[in-house]
């Protein structure tokens, strides 16, 4: 690679709102999305909420000349909704399905059935290794009383860990997607602090688009105005995040968003706004390589957000265990009731009533059993994230105590025990 | 690191058979395992089937002076059963839970509830980065009619992919565990060919232990003699696998197994045999670094095993879809029956019969719904593995066609399209 190496990357991201039978004007919007992608010829288009694989296949056919490589990430019952179209060959791909993703009995929310995941693509561009991630975290249905907050924090942690462990040899890391997190939300800060990813909206000097970079705006006719009421400009929950490692420098030259309506036909492409970023990768002296764990200020921020996330996960573990215990009691009572009904049925007298009550009792028992199993699994999943987080927190604290501010590799290389990660 | 750098690693692996209430002499065996680990002072002890976290905590207390670092990998309803004890500090840890792991309605087998996983530990030893993996794949209950074969192949592929994507910056990769795969089984070959891991049993010149390195032997009093009938010496399903990358060379100096009984008290530590390996890591010139994708013979073997695995997964996808379709028909018929029962109940006549049949019909409907959802998820999971595998197969074939035998980085670095991975 030449010392004056420079690479320009044009990235597109959109949550497509492609729910069969439910999303308005889906076919037309998908068609216009294909036209836009063909016209603009991005290096990489990362899409979320393409729930129908037929929609993906149609797009694929349409985009084949301009984007010869494509992949749909399958998971869950419905599919992850994630897919990618690339101008460049995809060297490798894999995915990680989040351990926790809502509750199966919240059928009307449906997230559990989707198998929300993070997809990874490895691309080799002019000798540079690019790890591109695309993801979609659990939706937020009620910001005031968010029952999925813990799951989203656990997902943000799993996402950060997946990126951390799979991108160690990458030169450039790119993450696009619908995080369902506002910029200052715990999950978003946790993700950024632990991975060292930078937010294109904050980094670019050339931004054009919706007010404050919002990706769900009241101007969009598909957006529920009631839900956006507390946010006059809208909310920013879709992101282009990036970082460069190992002697490269990356910057965001331009960032554009759509603004709630399509300039040609008037109706927008989705209920979310599209993000279009132009990134520039150059060689840089090693000291210019950003390192999230370098300075004391960064470390202090990391420790603070890790503590906050630990507390949230700890609360989640306690709540999951409470539900499992409650279900356990219901199972116990259900068994007692069944025994009683058997005795009554055998003894005569109220035999008909006993027989009629038998089936609902078995139903309650099976239901409670399922709830017990689910929340036991939830508790294990949250405990796992909490243990990983606590380990990182312990190491960050030791690094802070040692005050070795000039050793960037400290956090990833120091030799200390991890005797307290199981607390 | 000095050019004459040399590192000796003593590794212990055991499937502990630690099922609360079911496994015989569990407490006593765990106690003796702790004594052995304390006496021998290994660098790393990797354990499977420690199903009770209390057992882990007791071992942890006992082993704390000799193994200051430890971790239990939590997952599923019960837990993954995986844990590690390390003489050296653990830098980082994470885990990956397998997407497919048996069927929830096979309650008597129980694997689905365990959340089988692979755990990863990153250790820094004298400047060398060691990625140690511990895993336990789905059990094989009937070798002649193995209904879990496809799931185990998918798990082997996910394991190989997890290692492949998380070990890119590691100097040494170590995988220990109970793979529930014989050495020539498809999953085992797939894992070895795609990761380039070497089998300690085949590599060492100094082996002492059970005949043919078997890890379940008829001499072991806890082993079902009936199940081992077709295998006079026993079976080898537990492994120590390793490889060195980036200019290091690793060899297995000695490999020992227990032989079905404990020399002191007479009863064995588990129904599996323990593996004790002494590995030696040295610097080596780059050309001595093993690369699984280097030669045409290796590539040909890889292509062959990828094809075989693709066929197996393809069969699995078809079968999962068949079950989902079947469950779909049952749902349809159940709905029809319910409508009929409603009409009969409203019309009088056989009202009592109709009301009595109502509850079992709802039960069948819910059951069929659950089966439908499960097999849809299974089909997605298998399709995902098949797509990843097909992509690798396509690249391996192109590498073979090009015949660029002298370029070791070819398979990981060539620039070709992946237009056919969605077939």
């Amino acid at each position: 690679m030449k010392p004056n190496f420079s690479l320009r990357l044009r990235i597109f991201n959109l949550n497509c709102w492609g729910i069969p039978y439910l999303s308005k004007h889906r076919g037309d919007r998908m068609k216009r999305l294909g036209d836009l992608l063909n016209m603009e010829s991005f290096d990489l288009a990362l899409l979320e909420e393409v729930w129908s694989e037929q929609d993906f296949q149609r797009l694929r056919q349409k985009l084949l000349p301009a984007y010869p490589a494509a992949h749909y990430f399958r998971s869950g019952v419905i599919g992850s909704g994630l897919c990618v179209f690339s101008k460049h060959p995809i060297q490798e791909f894999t995915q990680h399905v989040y351990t926790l993703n809502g509750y199966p009995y919240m059928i009307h929310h449906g997230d559990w059935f989707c198998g929300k995941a993070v997809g990874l693509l490895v691309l080799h561009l002019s000798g540079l290794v690019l790890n591109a991630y695309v993801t979609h975290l659990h939706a937020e249905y009620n910001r005031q009383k968010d029952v999925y907050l813990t799951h989203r924090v656990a997902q943000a942690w799993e996402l950060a860990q997946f990126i951390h462990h799979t991108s160690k040899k990458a030169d450039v890391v790119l993450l696009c997607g619908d995080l369902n997190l506002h910029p200052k939300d715990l999950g978003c800060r946790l993700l950024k602090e632990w991975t060292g990813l930078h937010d294109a909206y904050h980094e670019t000097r050339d931004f054009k688009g919706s007010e404050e970079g919002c990706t769900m705006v009241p101007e969009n006719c598909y957006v529920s105005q009631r839900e956006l009421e507390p946010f006059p400009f809208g909310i920013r929950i879709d992101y282009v995040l990036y970082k460069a490692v190992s002697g490269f420098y990356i910057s965001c030259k331009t960032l554009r968003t759509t603004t709630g309506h399509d300039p040609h036909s008037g109706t927008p492409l989705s209920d979310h706004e599209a993000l279009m970023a132009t990134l520039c990768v150059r060689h840089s002296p090693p000291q210019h390589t950003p390192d999230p764990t370098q300075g004391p200020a960064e470390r202090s921020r990391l420790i603070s957000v890790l503590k906050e996330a630990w507390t949230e996960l700890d609360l989640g573990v306690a709540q999951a265990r409470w539900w499992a215990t409650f279900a356990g009691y219901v199972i116990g009572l259900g068994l007692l009731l069944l025994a009683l009904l058997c005795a009554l049925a055998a003894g005569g007298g109220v035999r008909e009533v006993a027989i009629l009550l038998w089936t609902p009792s078995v139903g309650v028992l099976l239901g409670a059993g399922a709830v017990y199993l689910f929340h036991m699994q939830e508790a294990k999943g949250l405990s796992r994230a909490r243990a990983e987080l606590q380990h990182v927190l312990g190491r960050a604290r030791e690094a802070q105590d040692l005050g070795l501010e000039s050793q960037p590799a400290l956090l990833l290389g120091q030799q200390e025990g991890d005797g307290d990660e199981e607390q």
Side-chain angles (χ1 to χ4, degrees), chain A residues 186-207:
Chain A
L186 174 57
C188 197
R189 286 181 287 128
L190 180 66
L191 173 69
K192 284 186 198 166
E193 293 298 334
W194 181 224
T195 57
L197 288 167
H198 300 280
D199 190 334
Y201 175 69
H202 286 139
E203 300 290 320
T204 188
R205 288 182 186 176
D206 180 0
F207 172 77

Side-chain angles (χ1 to χ4, degrees), chain A residues 165-180:
Chain A
H165 284 282
T166 54
S167 68
K168 290 187 177 178
K169 226 181 172 178
D171 300 311
V172 170
V173 177
L174 173 74
L175 168 62
C176 291
D178 174 3
L179 301 183
N180 274 310

Side-chain angles (χ1 to χ4, degrees), chain A residues 180-247:
Chain A
N180 274 310
L181 291 164
H182 295 216
K184 289 189 176 169
D185 282 359
L186 174 57
C188 197
R189 286 181 287 128
L190 180 66
L191 173 69
K192 284 186 198 166
E193 293 298 334
W194 181 224
T195 57
L197 288 167
H198 300 280
D199 190 334
Y201 175 69
H202 286 139
E203 300 290 320
T204 188
R205 288 182 186 176
D206 180 0
F207 172 77
K208 278 197 189 86
S210 55
E211 287 275 354
E212 296 183 359
C214 290
T215 57
M216 286 196 92
V217 297
E219 290 80 12
N220 189 307
C221 62
Y222 297 131
V223 169
S224 153
Q225 301 300 318
R226 197 177 52 79
E227 280 172 23
L228 280 194
E229 234 165 43
F231 309 99
F233 295 132
I235 54 176
R236 189 158 79 87
I237 56 174
D238 302 81
Y239 296 84
V240 172
L241 303 168
Y242 56 76
K243 71 171 179 181
V245 282
S246 61

Side-chain angles (χ1 to χ4, degrees), chain A residues 114-378:
Chain A
C114 302
K116 294 271 174 85
V118 45
L120 159 62
L121 303 171
V122 181
L123 280 86
H124 292 187
L125 305 171
S126 317
L128 178 140
V129 178
L130 167 69
N131 272 29
Y133 300 85
V134 58
T135 196
H136 186 191
L137 303 192
H138 197 293
E140 187 186 70
Y141 295 97
N142 184 337
R143 196 160 172 83
Q144 278 66 49
K145 201 182 169 188
D146 184 9
V147 290
Y148 302 112
L149 175 62
T150 318
H151 281 209
R152 216 177 300 103
V153 171
Q155 287 186 342
W157 176 253
E158 270 190 38
L159 170 59
Q161 282 278 78
F162 183 71
I163 294 173
H164 176 77
H165 284 282
T166 54
S167 68
K168 290 187 177 178
K169 226 181 172 178
D171 300 311
V172 170
V173 177
L174 173 74
L175 168 62
C176 291
D178 174 3
L179 301 183
N180 274 310
L181 291 164
H182 295 216
K184 289 189 176 169
D185 282 359
L186 174 57
C188 197
R189 286 181 287 128
L190 180 66
L191 173 69
K192 284 186 198 166
E193 293 298 334
W194 181 224
T195 57
L197 288 167
H198 300 280
D199 190 334
Y201 175 69
H202 286 139
E203 300 290 320
T204 188
R205 288 182 186 176
D206 180 0
F207 172 77
K208 278 197 189 86
S210 55
E211 287 275 354
E212 296 183 359
C214 290
T215 57
M216 286 196 92
V217 297
E219 290 80 12
N220 189 307
C221 62
Y222 297 131
V223 169
S224 153
Q225 301 300 318
R226 197 177 52 79
E227 280 172 23
L228 280 194
E229 234 165 43
F231 309 99
F233 295 132
I235 54 176
R236 189 158 79 87
I237 56 174
D238 302 81
Y239 296 84
V240 172
L241 303 168
Y242 56 76
K243 71 171 179 181
V245 282
S246 61
F248 287 94
Y249 177 78
I250 183 166
S251 59
C252 181
K253 290 293 163 204
T254 68
L255 181 66
R256 305 279 177 267
T257 74
T258 50
T259 54
H261 42 79
D262 184 276
H264 306 294
S265 78
T267 64
L269 286 173
S270 166
D271 61 345
H272 286 242
E273 300 310 314
L275 291 165
M276 289 156 281
T278 307
L279 307 176
C280 183
V281 186
R282 291 198 313 273
H283 261 298
S284 81
Q287 65 267 29
H288 286 168
T289 306
D291 189 311
T293 64
Q294 200 160 13
E298 286 82 359
R299 201 147 50 221
S300 174
R301 274 210 309 273
L302 176 65
I303 288 173
S304 158
V305 75
L306 285 170
K307 272 190 209 167
E308 212 179 313
W310 191 92
T311 309
E312 183 57 42
L313 291 175
D314 198 50
L315 279 171
V317 172
Q319 202 168 37
R321 284 188 183 147
W322 187 91
W323 276 107
T325 311
F326 176 74
Y329 282 122
V330 174
I331 291 170
L333 284 172
L335 284 172
L336 268 177
L337 181 66
L338 271 187
L340 188 71
L341 291 176
C342 286
L344 285 173
V350 284
R351 180 175 287 180
E352 286 73 22
V353 179
I355 290 174
L356 270 178
L357 284 175
W358 173 265
T359 322
S361 303
V362 171
V364 167
L365 206 62
L366 289 177
V371 170
Y372 174 80
L373 291 179
F374 183 81
H375 287 288
M376 281 298 286
Q377 195 174 26
E378 186 191 18

